[in-house]
PDB file of all heavy atoms in Angstrom:
ATOM      1  N   LYS A  26     -14.907  15.516  -8.833  1.00  0.00           N
ATOM      2  CA  LYS A  26     -14.917  16.929  -9.210  1.00  0.00           C
ATOM      3  C   LYS A  26     -16.338  17.390  -9.524  1.00  0.00           C
ATOM      4  O   LYS A  26     -16.773  18.464  -9.094  1.00  0.00           O
ATOM      5  CB  LYS A  26     -14.011  17.153 -10.417  1.00  0.00           C
ATOM      6  CG  LYS A  26     -13.853  18.611 -10.821  1.00  0.00           C
ATOM      7  CD  LYS A  26     -12.836  18.725 -11.935  1.00  0.00           C
ATOM      8  CE  LYS A  26     -12.620  20.168 -12.340  1.00  0.00           C
ATOM      9  NZ  LYS A  26     -11.614  20.305 -13.415  1.00  0.00           N
ATOM     10  N   LEU A  33     -21.329  22.537  -4.266  1.00  0.00           N
ATOM     11  CA  LEU A  33     -21.017  23.948  -4.057  1.00  0.00           C
ATOM     12  C   LEU A  33     -21.938  24.859  -4.861  1.00  0.00           C
ATOM     13  O   LEU A  33     -22.259  25.962  -4.423  1.00  0.00           O
ATOM     14  CB  LEU A  33     -19.558  24.210  -4.427  1.00  0.00           C
ATOM     15  CG  LEU A  33     -18.540  23.529  -3.512  1.00  0.00           C
ATOM     16  CD1 LEU A  33     -17.144  23.624  -4.107  1.00  0.00           C
ATOM     17  CD2 LEU A  33     -18.564  24.134  -2.112  1.00  0.00           C
ATOM     18  N   HIS A  39     -27.763  30.236  -3.525  1.00  0.00           N
ATOM     19  CA  HIS A  39     -28.389  31.071  -2.496  1.00  0.00           C
ATOM     20  C   HIS A  39     -27.551  32.319  -2.210  1.00  0.00           C
ATOM     21  O   HIS A  39     -28.086  33.411  -1.999  1.00  0.00           O
ATOM     22  CB  HIS A  39     -28.576  30.262  -1.215  1.00  0.00           C
ATOM     23  CG  HIS A  39     -29.538  29.124  -1.367  1.00  0.00           C
ATOM     24  ND1 HIS A  39     -30.908  29.307  -1.423  1.00  0.00           N
ATOM     25  CD2 HIS A  39     -29.331  27.804  -1.499  1.00  0.00           C
ATOM     26  CE1 HIS A  39     -31.489  28.136  -1.572  1.00  0.00           C
ATOM     27  NE2 HIS A  39     -30.568  27.202  -1.626  1.00  0.00           N
ATOM     28  N   ILE A  41     -25.587  33.877  -4.275  1.00  0.00           N
ATOM     29  CA  ILE A  41     -25.683  34.801  -5.404  1.00  0.00           C
ATOM     30  C   ILE A  41     -27.055  35.465  -5.442  1.00  0.00           C
ATOM     31  O   ILE A  41     -27.189  36.638  -5.794  1.00  0.00           O
ATOM     32  CB  ILE A  41     -25.385  34.060  -6.725  1.00  0.00           C
ATOM     33  CG1 ILE A  41     -23.903  33.649  -6.760  1.00  0.00           C
ATOM     34  CG2 ILE A  41     -25.730  34.922  -7.929  1.00  0.00           C
ATOM     35  CD1 ILE A  41     -23.552  32.752  -7.920  1.00  0.00           C
ATOM     36  N   ALA A  73     -25.223  53.797  -5.648  1.00  0.00           N
ATOM     37  CA  ALA A  73     -24.377  53.277  -6.727  1.00  0.00           C
ATOM     38  C   ALA A  73     -23.220  52.455  -6.154  1.00  0.00           C
ATOM     39  O   ALA A  73     -22.821  51.432  -6.723  1.00  0.00           O
ATOM     40  CB  ALA A  73     -23.844  54.425  -7.570  1.00  0.00           C
ATOM     41  N   ARG A  82     -19.418  41.027  -5.276  1.00  0.00           N
ATOM     42  CA  ARG A  82     -19.670  39.781  -4.547  1.00  0.00           C
ATOM     43  C   ARG A  82     -20.113  38.669  -5.489  1.00  0.00           C
ATOM     44  O   ARG A  82     -19.636  37.541  -5.413  1.00  0.00           O
ATOM     45  CB  ARG A  82     -20.756  40.001  -3.487  1.00  0.00           C
ATOM     46  CG  ARG A  82     -20.302  40.733  -2.233  1.00  0.00           C
ATOM     47  CD  ARG A  82     -21.472  40.921  -1.280  1.00  0.00           C
ATOM     48  NE  ARG A  82     -22.031  39.647  -0.846  1.00  0.00           N
ATOM     49  CZ  ARG A  82     -23.216  39.523  -0.265  1.00  0.00           C
ATOM     50  NH1 ARG A  82     -23.983  40.587  -0.087  1.00  0.00           N
ATOM     51  NH2 ARG A  82     -23.649  38.336   0.130  1.00  0.00           N
ATOM     52  N   PRO A  96     -10.857  22.885 -16.855  1.00  0.00           N
ATOM     53  CA  PRO A  96      -9.834  21.839 -16.933  1.00  0.00           C
ATOM     54  C   PRO A  96      -8.465  22.422 -16.629  1.00  0.00           C
ATOM     55  O   PRO A  96      -8.199  23.599 -16.893  1.00  0.00           O
ATOM     56  CB  PRO A  96      -9.925  21.365 -18.392  1.00  0.00           C
ATOM     57  CG  PRO A  96     -10.562  22.488 -19.136  1.00  0.00           C
ATOM     58  CD  PRO A  96     -11.490  23.162 -18.156  1.00  0.00           C
ATOM     59  N   GLY A  99      -2.692  23.961 -17.500  1.00  0.00           N
ATOM     60  CA  GLY A  99      -1.347  24.436 -17.205  1.00  0.00           C
ATOM     61  C   GLY A  99      -0.564  23.429 -16.385  1.00  0.00           C
ATOM     62  O   GLY A  99      -1.094  22.432 -15.898  1.00  0.00           O
ATOM     63  N   GLU A 115     -13.542  31.175   0.458  1.00  0.00           N
ATOM     64  CA  GLU A 115     -14.871  31.760   0.351  1.00  0.00           C
ATOM     65  C   GLU A 115     -15.915  30.676   0.088  1.00  0.00           C
ATOM     66  O   GLU A 115     -17.019  30.722   0.634  1.00  0.00           O
ATOM     67  CB  GLU A 115     -14.917  32.827  -0.747  1.00  0.00           C
ATOM     68  CG  GLU A 115     -16.199  33.638  -0.697  1.00  0.00           C
ATOM     69  CD  GLU A 115     -16.068  34.994  -1.380  1.00  0.00           C
ATOM     70  OE1 GLU A 115     -14.994  35.288  -1.927  1.00  0.00           O
ATOM     71  OE2 GLU A 115     -17.047  35.737  -1.350  1.00  0.00           O
ATOM     72  N   VAL A 119     -19.014  29.681   2.653  1.00  0.00           N
ATOM     73  CA  VAL A 119     -20.413  29.578   2.227  1.00  0.00           C
ATOM     74  C   VAL A 119     -21.023  28.275   2.743  1.00  0.00           C
ATOM     75  O   VAL A 119     -22.114  28.251   3.312  1.00  0.00           O
ATOM     76  CB  VAL A 119     -20.521  29.635   0.684  1.00  0.00           C
ATOM     77  CG1 VAL A 119     -21.916  29.211   0.217  1.00  0.00           C
ATOM     78  CG2 VAL A 119     -20.214  31.039   0.183  1.00  0.00           C
ATOM     79  N   ARG A 143      -2.540  23.942  -9.601  1.00  0.00           N
ATOM     80  CA  ARG A 143      -3.560  24.599  -8.773  1.00  0.00           C
ATOM     81  C   ARG A 143      -4.895  23.866  -8.787  1.00  0.00           C
ATOM     82  O   ARG A 143      -5.585  23.780  -7.771  1.00  0.00           O
ATOM     83  CB  ARG A 143      -3.768  26.045  -9.243  1.00  0.00           C
ATOM     84  CG  ARG A 143      -2.630  26.966  -8.865  1.00  0.00           C
ATOM     85  CD  ARG A 143      -2.871  28.376  -9.343  1.00  0.00           C
ATOM     86  NE  ARG A 143      -1.775  29.247  -8.974  1.00  0.00           N
ATOM     87  CZ  ARG A 143      -1.699  29.902  -7.820  1.00  0.00           C
ATOM     88  NH1 ARG A 143      -2.667  29.784  -6.943  1.00  0.00           N
ATOM     89  NH2 ARG A 143      -0.669  30.669  -7.555  1.00  0.00           N
ATOM     90  N   ALA A 146      -4.746  20.845  -6.630  1.00  0.00           N
ATOM     91  CA  ALA A 146      -4.559  21.276  -5.243  1.00  0.00           C
ATOM     92  C   ALA A 146      -5.876  21.778  -4.652  1.00  0.00           C
ATOM     93  O   ALA A 146      -6.221  21.460  -3.509  1.00  0.00           O
ATOM     94  CB  ALA A 146      -3.497  22.369  -5.169  1.00  0.00           C
ATOM     95  N   ASN A 152     -11.913  18.802  -0.793  1.00  0.00           N
ATOM     96  CA  ASN A 152     -12.357  17.508  -0.286  1.00  0.00           C
ATOM     97  C   ASN A 152     -12.096  17.375   1.212  1.00  0.00           C
ATOM     98  O   ASN A 152     -12.942  16.863   1.961  1.00  0.00           O
ATOM     99  CB  ASN A 152     -11.661  16.374  -1.042  1.00  0.00           C
ATOM    100  CG  ASN A 152     -12.373  16.009  -2.324  1.00  0.00           C
ATOM    101  OD1 ASN A 152     -13.563  15.766  -2.338  1.00  0.00           O
ATOM    102  ND2 ASN A 152     -11.640  15.975  -3.422  1.00  0.00           N
ATOM    103  N   PHE A 154     -11.767  19.871   3.424  1.00  0.00           N
ATOM    104  CA  PHE A 154     -12.660  20.799   4.128  1.00  0.00           C
ATOM    105  C   PHE A 154     -14.074  20.235   4.227  1.00  0.00           C
ATOM    106  O   PHE A 154     -14.694  20.243   5.290  1.00  0.00           O
ATOM    107  CB  PHE A 154     -12.703  22.147   3.402  1.00  0.00           C
ATOM    108  CG  PHE A 154     -11.616  23.098   3.809  1.00  0.00           C
ATOM    109  CD1 PHE A 154     -10.692  23.573   2.877  1.00  0.00           C
ATOM    110  CD2 PHE A 154     -11.528  23.549   5.114  1.00  0.00           C
ATOM    111  CE1 PHE A 154      -9.704  24.459   3.250  1.00  0.00           C
ATOM    112  CE2 PHE A 154     -10.534  24.444   5.494  1.00  0.00           C
ATOM    113  CZ  PHE A 154      -9.620  24.892   4.559  1.00  0.00           C
ATOM    114  N   LEU A 158     -16.411  19.284   7.422  1.00  0.00           N
ATOM    115  CA  LEU A 158     -17.688  19.988   7.588  1.00  0.00           C
ATOM    116  C   LEU A 158     -18.861  19.022   7.723  1.00  0.00           C
ATOM    117  O   LEU A 158     -19.814  19.298   8.451  1.00  0.00           O
ATOM    118  CB  LEU A 158     -17.930  20.936   6.414  1.00  0.00           C
ATOM    119  CG  LEU A 158     -17.264  22.305   6.487  1.00  0.00           C
ATOM    120  CD1 LEU A 158     -17.398  23.037   5.156  1.00  0.00           C
ATOM    121  CD2 LEU A 158     -17.873  23.143   7.606  1.00  0.00           C
ATOM    122  N   ALA A 173       4.946  24.830   8.263  1.00  0.00           N
ATOM    123  CA  ALA A 173       6.065  24.148   7.615  1.00  0.00           C
ATOM    124  C   ALA A 173       6.654  23.194   8.647  1.00  0.00           C
ATOM    125  O   ALA A 173       6.882  23.575   9.800  1.00  0.00           O
ATOM    126  CB  ALA A 173       7.110  25.161   7.168  1.00  0.00           C
ATOM    127  N   LEU A 180      -1.093  21.234   5.886  1.00  0.00           N
ATOM    128  CA  LEU A 180      -2.409  21.822   6.157  1.00  0.00           C
ATOM    129  C   LEU A 180      -3.203  20.826   6.986  1.00  0.00           C
ATOM    130  O   LEU A 180      -3.354  19.668   6.598  1.00  0.00           O
ATOM    131  CB  LEU A 180      -3.158  22.099   4.847  1.00  0.00           C
ATOM    132  CG  LEU A 180      -4.683  22.310   4.963  1.00  0.00           C
ATOM    133  CD1 LEU A 180      -4.991  23.629   5.670  1.00  0.00           C
ATOM    134  CD2 LEU A 180      -5.339  22.274   3.587  1.00  0.00           C
ATOM    135  N   SER A 183      -9.575  20.594  11.004  1.00  0.00           N
ATOM    136  CA  SER A 183     -10.144  19.789  12.077  1.00  0.00           C
ATOM    137  C   SER A 183     -11.419  20.411  12.617  1.00  0.00           C
ATOM    138  O   SER A 183     -11.676  21.600  12.471  1.00  0.00           O
ATOM    139  CB  SER A 183      -9.126  19.619  13.212  1.00  0.00           C
ATOM    140  OG  SER A 183      -8.717  20.880  13.716  1.00  0.00           O
ATOM    141  N   GLY A 185     -14.768  18.947  15.599  1.00  0.00           N
ATOM    142  CA  GLY A 185     -15.534  17.841  16.158  1.00  0.00           C
ATOM    143  C   GLY A 185     -14.624  16.680  16.517  1.00  0.00           C
ATOM    144  O   GLY A 185     -13.396  16.794  16.538  1.00  0.00           O
ATOM    145  N   SER A 188     -14.630  10.345  13.551  1.00  0.00           N
ATOM    146  CA  SER A 188     -13.595   9.731  12.722  1.00  0.00           C
ATOM    147  C   SER A 188     -14.184   9.169  11.442  1.00  0.00           C
ATOM    148  O   SER A 188     -13.505   8.512  10.666  1.00  0.00           O
ATOM    149  CB  SER A 188     -12.891   8.600  13.493  1.00  0.00           C
ATOM    150  OG  SER A 188     -13.820   7.587  13.833  1.00  0.00           O
ATOM    151  N   THR A 190     -15.330   8.988   7.677  1.00  0.00           N
ATOM    152  CA  THR A 190     -14.742   9.624   6.504  1.00  0.00           C
ATOM    153  C   THR A 190     -15.694   9.584   5.329  1.00  0.00           C
ATOM    154  O   THR A 190     -16.655   8.835   5.297  1.00  0.00           O
ATOM    155  CB  THR A 190     -13.434   8.920   6.090  1.00  0.00           C
ATOM    156  OG1 THR A 190     -13.764   7.655   5.513  1.00  0.00           O
ATOM    157  CG2 THR A 190     -12.514   8.707   7.280  1.00  0.00           C
ATOM    158  N   GLU A 193     -14.892   7.755  -0.729  1.00  0.00           N
ATOM    159  CA  GLU A 193     -14.426   8.093  -2.068  1.00  0.00           C
ATOM    160  C   GLU A 193     -13.804   9.477  -2.121  1.00  0.00           C
ATOM    161  O   GLU A 193     -12.806   9.706  -2.809  1.00  0.00           O
ATOM    162  CB  GLU A 193     -15.589   8.000  -3.059  1.00  0.00           C
ATOM    163  CG  GLU A 193     -15.184   8.104  -4.507  1.00  0.00           C
ATOM    164  CD  GLU A 193     -14.425   6.885  -4.989  1.00  0.00           C
ATOM    165  OE1 GLU A 193     -14.529   5.820  -4.363  1.00  0.00           O
ATOM    166  OE2 GLU A 193     -13.717   7.018  -6.003  1.00  0.00           O
TER     167      GLU A 193
END
Side-chain angles (χ1 to χ4, degrees):
K26 185 175 182 179
L33 293 169
H39 295 285
I41 292 172
R82 283 179 61 196
E115 191 158 2
V119 167
R143 286 180 180 272
N152 275 308
F154 273 120
L158 277 170
L180 162 69
S183 58
S188 61
T190 72
E193 190 70 20

